[in-house]
């Protein structure tokens, strides 16, 4: 008789277990990478805030996108080498201009408010975008999206109120304008590129190059002066914004969305404001009052509800099929 201690499961189950384990790890790998993108984007507000305390906004943006453009050129040469058509190049220029407007508003906003506020207010783009997209494509949205928008806006009012209701700071208002402008930019991307077969990498390269050109020409003297006087910490901050927050996040996002559903990717990357708050409160040693905490919770709740409602609205219902009659 074989001892129970010496009993081994049938060998046929091992490949199945390995395949199941491998599939679970692959699914979790995509989720973890998307969460990492959200964390990186959430940390970008504190990184930009730290740099804007000592450097000009245009200088930071110029160096960030010069680094991003150089890195994307290398990636394009190695992986892609897709040459843009004239129409594709024009679309890239248009999107580059809207992207440049978003970032100048956003970075000036970060300089005038806390990293925590900036990360939460910019998250309103997830609520604004369905509205701008519905206007562009003349599509009716479910009522829940608008309810979510009201919840999020109330949250912003509480967040910027501080110890009591007060006038928002210029930085808060600029972040609000940046969120609205980013929703317009995202809608423009969808409108101009949908079913066109354009290369995402090529379009991003054109946008980054245009942003680098605009920001550098806007303040080239201070850019040269800053490069000569940068210390190690400032170079680390600019490289982090250029390589991690731009190049890495873009590539991982593009790859990961191809491995999972858009709904799941959006929900995972929609955790960006949560990471912005956590990083701002811990590493940045910022504070939130009770009203601020309530506002932050409402912003996150409104954003999540709006995202879920918009995703459900776009997902076609699964047709119901009756089981075959075996009688």
């Amino acid at each position: 008789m074989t001892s129970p201690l010496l009993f081994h499961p049938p060998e046929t189950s091992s490949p199945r277990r390995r395949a199941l384990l491998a599939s679970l790890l692959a699914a979790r790998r995509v989720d973890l990478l998307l969460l990492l993108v959200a964390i990186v984007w959430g940390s970008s507000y504190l990184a930009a805030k730290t740099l804007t305390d000592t450097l000009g906004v245009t200088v930071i943006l110029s160096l960030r996108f010069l680094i991003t453009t150089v890195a994307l050129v290398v990636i394009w040469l190695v992986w892609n080498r897709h040459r843009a058509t004239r129409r594709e190049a024009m679309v890239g220029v248009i999107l580059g201009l809207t992207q440049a407007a978003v970032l100048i508003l956003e970075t000036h906003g970060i300089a005038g408010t806390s990293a925590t506020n900036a990360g939460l207010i910019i998250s309103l783009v997830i609520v604004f975008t369905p509205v701008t997209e519905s206007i562009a494509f003349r599509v009716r949205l479910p009522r829940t999206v608008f309810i979510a928008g009201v919840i999020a806006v109330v949250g912003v009012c509480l967040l910027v109120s501080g110890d009591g209701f007060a006038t928002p700071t210029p930085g808060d208002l600029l972040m609000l304008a940046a969120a609205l402008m980013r929703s317009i930019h995202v809608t423009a991307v969808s409108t101009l590129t949908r079913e066109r077969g354009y290369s995402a990498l090529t379009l991003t390269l054109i946008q980054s190059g245009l942003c680098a050109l605009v920001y550098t020409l806007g303040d080239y003297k201070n850019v040269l002066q800053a490069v000569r006087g940068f210390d190690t910490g400032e170079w680390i901050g600019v490289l982090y914004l250029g390589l991690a927050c731009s190049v890495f996040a873009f590539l991982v996002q593009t790859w990961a969305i191809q491995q999972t559903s858009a709904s799941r990717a959006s929900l995972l990357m929609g955790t960006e404001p949560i990471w912005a708050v956590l990083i701002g409160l811990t590493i940045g040693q910022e504070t939130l009052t009770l009203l601020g905490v309530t506002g932050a919770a409402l912003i996150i709740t409104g954003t999540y509800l709006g995202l879920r409602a918009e995703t459900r609205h776009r997902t076609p219902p699964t047709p119901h099929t009756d089981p075959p009659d075996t009688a």
Side-chain angles (χ1 to χ4, degrees):
M1 179 181 290
T2 304
S3 170
L5 295 176
L6 298 177
F7 175 76
H8 297 284
E11 291 296 327
T12 55
S13 64
S14 296
R16 292 180 181 176
R17 290 180 180 177
R18 285 197 295 268
L20 178 61
L21 181 61
S23 64
L24 288 173
L25 288 175
R28 292 294 176 268
R29 180 182 62 176
V30 172
D31 290 350
L32 289 173
L33 284 172
L34 285 170
L35 281 175
L36 185 57
V37 170
I39 293 171
V40 167
W41 280 345
S43 68
S44 68
Y45 301 103
L46 181 60
K49 173 69 176 175
T50 303
L51 288 170
T52 54
D53 288 340
T54 56
L55 300 170
V57 168
T58 312
V59 172
I60 295 169
L61 290 172
S62 169
L63 294 175
R64 172 181 177 175
F65 278 93
L66 285 171
I67 292 168
T68 301
T69 302
V70 170
L72 287 174
V73 166
V74 172
I75 295 169
W76 182 83
L77 289 172
V78 173
W79 285 357
N80 192 296
R81 294 201 179 191
H82 165 78
R83 293 192 176 184
T85 63
R86 181 179 298 179
R87 185 179 180 87
E88 191 173 4
M90 288 178 60
V91 169
V93 169
I94 293 171
L95 297 180
L97 291 173
T98 57
Q99 179 78 334
V102 170
L103 289 164
I104 199 72
L105 287 169
E106 186 177 294
T107 312
H108 274 294
I110 292 170
T113 188
S114 67
T116 301
N117 279 24
L120 286 167
I121 294 173
I122 200 68
S123 69
L124 290 176
V125 70
I126 303 178
V127 177
F128 290 162
T129 302
V131 177
T132 56
E133 197 170 12
S134 70
I135 295 171
F137 292 102
R138 298 180 182 179
V139 177
R140 280 185 102 179
L141 288 176
R143 188 180 303 173
T144 309
V145 172
F146 295 100
I147 295 173
V150 171
I151 293 172
V153 170
V154 171
V156 170
C157 294
L158 293 177
L159 176 67
V160 302
S161 64
D163 295 322
F165 290 99
T167 304
T169 67
D172 294 326
L173 294 176
L174 284 171
M175 289 307 301
L176 197 59
L180 180 58
M181 189 66 209
R182 189 190 280 191
S183 71
I184 294 172
H185 170 73
V186 172
T187 302
V189 172
S190 178
T191 304
L192 297 174
T193 65
R194 178 177 291 183
E195 298 179 357
R196 301 282 186 181
Y198 296 154
S199 165
L201 176 59
T202 303
L203 280 177
T204 305
L205 175 57
I206 294 171
Q207 292 176 67
S208 297
L210 183 63
C211 287
L213 180 64
V214 169
Y215 298 138
T216 303
L217 290 178
D219 201 5
Y220 68 93
K221 291 183 180 178
N222 285 326
V223 170
L224 293 174
Q225 185 177 354
V227 169
R228 296 191 190 103
F230 260 22
D231 59 26
T232 303
E234 289 167 335
W235 273 119
I236 291 174
V238 171
L239 286 169
Y240 181 74
L241 288 174
L243 297 178
C245 300
S246 298
V247 178
F248 168 78
F250 162 71
L251 291 176
V252 170
Q253 177 191 10
T254 303
W255 173 83
I257 289 176
Q258 294 172 349
Q259 313 301 317
T260 187
S261 68
S263 304
R264 189 176 186 85
S266 297
L267 284 171
L268 289 166
M269 290 187 295
T271 62
E272 176 187 344
I274 300 174
W275 300 112
V277 171
L278 292 176
I279 292 169
L281 295 177
T282 54
I283 300 176
Q285 298 182 339
E286 297 176 349
T287 58
L288 275 180
T289 63
L290 180 59
L291 280 177
V293 172
T294 305
L298 287 175
I299 291 173
I300 293 170
T301 301
T303 299
Y304 179 73
L305 289 175
L307 183 60
R308 281 195 63 185
E310 198 273 342
T311 300
R312 192 181 297 116
H313 175 67
R314 289 181 181 279
T315 303
T318 303
H320 175 74
T321 55
D322 295 325
D325 187 2
T326 57

